[in-house]
């Protein structure tokens, strides 16, 4: 899909694309850090038919809502192509010994050969989290590995 980036002198940039139904949908990123979700007029793409101003937090939440299912779907689709590799989503329960601790503390890859490819927190996707990423109760950890490794990863997140 082609994304058009249009500089808005003195304001910021507009990034948009045309949907299959012919609507232009985009985001205006203002220099002061504000964001505006826009839908252009069907007949005049330079005219905005609807817009919603979003804070940084709201933008991240919307990105997570749109991105989390896409990420998990793509990972699931890709894992079908590799025999013996599976993608699971594992919760960090409230009683987890790793809630409030860094990902590196789990030694997940060393202990299970499983890779943590993303963490979803409150509908926000954190792709490729670094070892210093701090888990919170309620996080959903997206992991890739063998079934045996994934089971072990689930035990680590729940029991330590």
């Amino acid at each position: 899909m082609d994304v058009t980036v249009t500089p808005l002198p003195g304001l910021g940039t507009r990034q948009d694309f045309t949907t299959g139904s012919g609507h232009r949908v985009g985001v205006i990123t203002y220099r002061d850090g504000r964001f505006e979700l826009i839908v252009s007029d069907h007949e005049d793409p330079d005219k905005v038919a609807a817009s919603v101003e979003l804070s940084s937090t709201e933008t991240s939440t919307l990105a997570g809502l749109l991105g989390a299912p896409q990420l998990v779907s793509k990972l699931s689709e890709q894992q079908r192509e590799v025999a013996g590799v599976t993608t699971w989503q594992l919760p960090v329960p409230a009683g987890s010994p790793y809630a409030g601790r860094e990902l590196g503390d789990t030694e997940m890859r060393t202990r299970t050969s499983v890779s943590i490819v993303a963490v979803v927190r409150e509908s926000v996707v954190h792709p490729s989290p670094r070892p210093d990423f701090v888990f919170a109760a309620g996080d959903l950890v997206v992991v890739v590995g063998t079934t045996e490794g994934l089971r072990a990863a689930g035990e680590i997140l729940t029991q330590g």
Side-chain angles (χ1 to χ4, degrees):
M1 182 152 297
D2 292 330
V3 174
T4 303
V5 178
T6 307
L8 302 173
L11 294 175
T13 59
R14 173 181 171 158
Q15 299 176 9
D16 56 8
F17 67 96
T18 303
T19 67
S21 63
H23 292 90
R24 289 202 62 80
V25 177
V27 174
I28 296 175
T29 304
Y30 292 94
R31 289 181 187 224
D32 64 5
R34 292 179 300 123
F35 299 93
E36 188 175 358
L37 179 63
I38 60 170
V39 178
S40 296
D41 184 77
H42 192 65
E43 294 179 16
D44 182 359
D46 291 328
K47 182 178 177 187
V48 175
S51 69
V52 176
E53 192 165 322
L54 301 171
S55 68
S56 294
T57 302
E58 293 163 340
T59 302
S60 293
T61 300
L62 179 59
L65 290 173
L66 296 172
Q70 295 280 353
L71 173 65
V72 172
S73 173
K74 283 183 181 179
L75 288 171
S76 296
E77 185 178 305
Q78 289 173 353
Q79 69 90 28
R80 282 188 211 119
E81 299 173 11
V82 181
V85 176
T86 305
T87 303
W88 282 7
Q89 300 173 49
L90 302 172
V92 177
S96 171
Y98 292 104
R101 291 181 57 196
E102 294 182 351
L103 180 154
D105 292 345
T106 67
E107 298 180 330
M108 189 70 70
R109 187 178 306 210
T110 301
R111 295 169 67 187
T112 66
S113 297
V114 163
S115 295
I116 296 175
V117 297
V119 176
V120 182
R121 178 178 296 155
E122 297 178 1
S123 300
V124 176
V125 177
H126 301 272
S128 303
R130 298 170 40 94
D132 61 352
F133 181 89
V134 177
F135 287 120
D139 284 351
L140 192 60
V141 182
V142 182
V143 292
V144 175
T146 63
T147 301
E148 179 181 306
L150 296 171
R151 282 192 186 108
E155 289 177 18
I156 288 170
L157 290 175
T158 58
Q159 301 167 6

